[in-house]
Amino acid sequence: MKLQTEAANVLSRTSAYLQSGVIKQKPVWFDIVAKYPPKHNLVKKPYVHEAESTDPRNDLLKPKKQGLSKSQLFKTRPSSSEISNRNNEIHRIPKLKFLEDELRNYFYLQHPWELARPKNLIENNGDEILKKCDWSHMLQLHKPLDGESVIQRAMYILQNDDKVKDIFEAYDLARFEFYRLRMAEEMESHIAKEESAMYGAVYESTNIDWNLTTEQQYVDDWVKLAAEQTQVLEANANRSQAPSGSLVEEEKSRASLFESLLSVNNDVSDELKRANGGE
């Protein structure tokens, strides 16, 4: 792509248009660009090698010498380092850094479980909800209480409270206010659940609770079976000292142990099928 060089002359061209009357109103950026003009020249100028005082062709008439050094050789073309643009930093897009992003990273580093709360991702411009919010208080009507509330509240305190000196103090004030509101919110939910249960509401166990309970029952059954199997293994280790009639009892115990294992596996598989809708 051809390097664009017209952007460096935008100030002089616009001032000429204003003087000639092509543009009637001064652009908004005119004073800023005039105060901070571009400092880099985007035009790539080729390296021009200065000719020697003597004609290089005269050396062809001289006898050839073996092992010529680099200083005795003539440079016919510029090197790649001379042709390349050394000032390549001006072509890189600068990274935008905001104080709010640093506060967000710091908050979610301290509170990783806040990321597990559901978020509303349906938006057009990204600031529809924030425009309706008044951050003189943290609780908002159009927005749930989350980490973004802490960030916006801290920025509001930093900009409007003269007693706050730095961003760390504003962040601490917003963070402790967030803690109080979160504890009050959890307390209200517990009280509402207890009142509903008092008036006859029944809360069924969630799928996670049911899975944990079933898994624990399965583990408990296996603990009992493992204890019995351990006793059988210990008896087999000492069977040389046991009487001959005990061998028949060991075979019976093994058979009963195998049947109990099969019954436990069948019961668990039936419960999982019923939980999954009979699939």
Side-chain angles (χ1 to χ4, degrees):
M1 185 178 68
K2 184 179 179 182
L3 188 63
Q4 300 296 327
T5 59
E6 299 297 332
N9 303 327
V10 64
L11 185 63
S12 59
R13 179 174 295 183
T14 306
S15 61
Y17 287 165
L18 290 172
Q19 292 178 0
S20 61
V22 176
I23 300 177
K24 302 298 182 181
Q25 188 176 0
K26 183 171 64 173
V28 180
W29 50 263
F30 186 82
D31 296 334
I32 300 175
V33 177
K35 187 176 181 180
Y36 303 101
K39 297 181 180 180
H40 303 286
N41 187 9
L42 303 178
V43 180
K44 290 184 179 180
K45 295 182 179 180
Y47 178 78
V48 180
H49 181 74
E50 296 180 359
E52 298 290 338
S53 58
T54 58
D55 192 355
R57 292 175 293 179
N58 295 334
D59 294 339
L60 299 176
L61 302 177
K62 298 179 182 180
K64 296 182 180 181
K65 297 180 180 180
Q66 298 294 333
L68 293 177
S69 61
K70 292 184 179 181
S71 61
Q72 294 174 333
L73 298 177
F74 290 96
K75 189 173 183 180
T76 58
R77 64 187 66 182
S79 61
S80 59
S81 61
E82 294 172 346
I83 298 175
S84 63
N85 186 11
R86 298 178 182 178
N87 191 12
N88 55 2
E89 294 292 335
I90 60 176
H91 303 294
R92 296 181 181 177
I93 300 175
K95 294 183 179 180
L96 300 179
K97 297 182 179 180
F98 299 97
L99 181 60
E100 293 88 339
D101 294 336
E102 297 181 4
L103 286 179
R104 290 187 187 97
N105 295 334
Y106 188 66
F107 176 81
Y108 288 113
L109 181 64
Q110 292 181 332
H111 311 82
W113 282 105
E114 286 294 325
L115 294 173
R117 296 181 178 271
K119 304 289 184 182
N120 183 17
L121 302 179
I122 302 175
E123 55 186 17
N124 294 325
N125 298 326
D127 56 350
E128 296 94 344
I129 299 177
L130 296 180
K131 287 182 178 179
K132 301 177 183 179
C133 297
D134 180 16
W135 294 111
S136 58
H137 49 84
M138 186 170 290
L139 279 180
Q140 304 296 327
L141 180 63
H142 305 282
K143 185 180 181 304
L145 184 65
D146 56 1
E148 187 64 26
S149 303
V150 179
I151 307 306
Q152 298 297 331
R153 176 63 176 159
M155 296 302 298
Y156 180 85
I157 293 174
L158 181 64
Q159 296 173 1
N160 296 277
D161 195 348
D162 298 333
K163 297 180 182 179
V164 178
K165 299 180 181 179
D166 54 1
I167 186 59
F168 300 103
E169 185 177 358
Y171 173 73
D172 288 337
L173 292 175
R175 183 164 54 91
F176 288 120
E177 186 177 354
F178 171 77
Y179 292 159
R180 290 192 295 269
L181 293 174
R182 181 68 77 194
M183 287 187 289
E185 185 181 73
E186 293 179 356
M187 185 61 67
E188 288 178 359
S189 63
H190 287 307
I191 293 174
K193 185 175 181 180
E194 291 178 358
E195 290 178 350
S196 300
M198 183 180 64
Y199 286 103
V202 178
Y203 297 96
E204 298 181 356
S205 61
T206 61
N207 294 332
I208 297 176
D209 296 336
W210 184 87
N211 291 332
L212 292 175
T213 304
T214 307
E215 183 181 3
Q216 188 61 39
Q217 292 177 357
Y218 189 72
V219 171
D220 294 339
D221 294 337
W222 269 104
V223 168
K224 296 178 182 178
L225 296 174
E228 295 176 359
Q229 188 176 6
T230 303
Q231 293 177 359
V232 172
L233 293 175
E234 291 177 354
N236 291 334
N238 300 325
R239 65 181 177 179
S240 60
Q241 301 177 359
S244 60
S246 62
L247 297 176
V248 179
E249 296 178 356
E250 290 178 4
E251 294 295 333
K252 291 181 179 180
S253 62
R254 290 180 183 177
S256 62
L257 179 61
F258 182 72
E259 292 177 358
S260 60
L261 290 176
L262 289 177
S263 63
V264 170
N265 289 329
N266 293 330
D267 294 340
V268 172
S269 60
D270 293 338
E271 291 181 3
L272 292 177
K273 288 181 179 179
R274 288 196 297 271
N276 294 328
E279 295 181 359

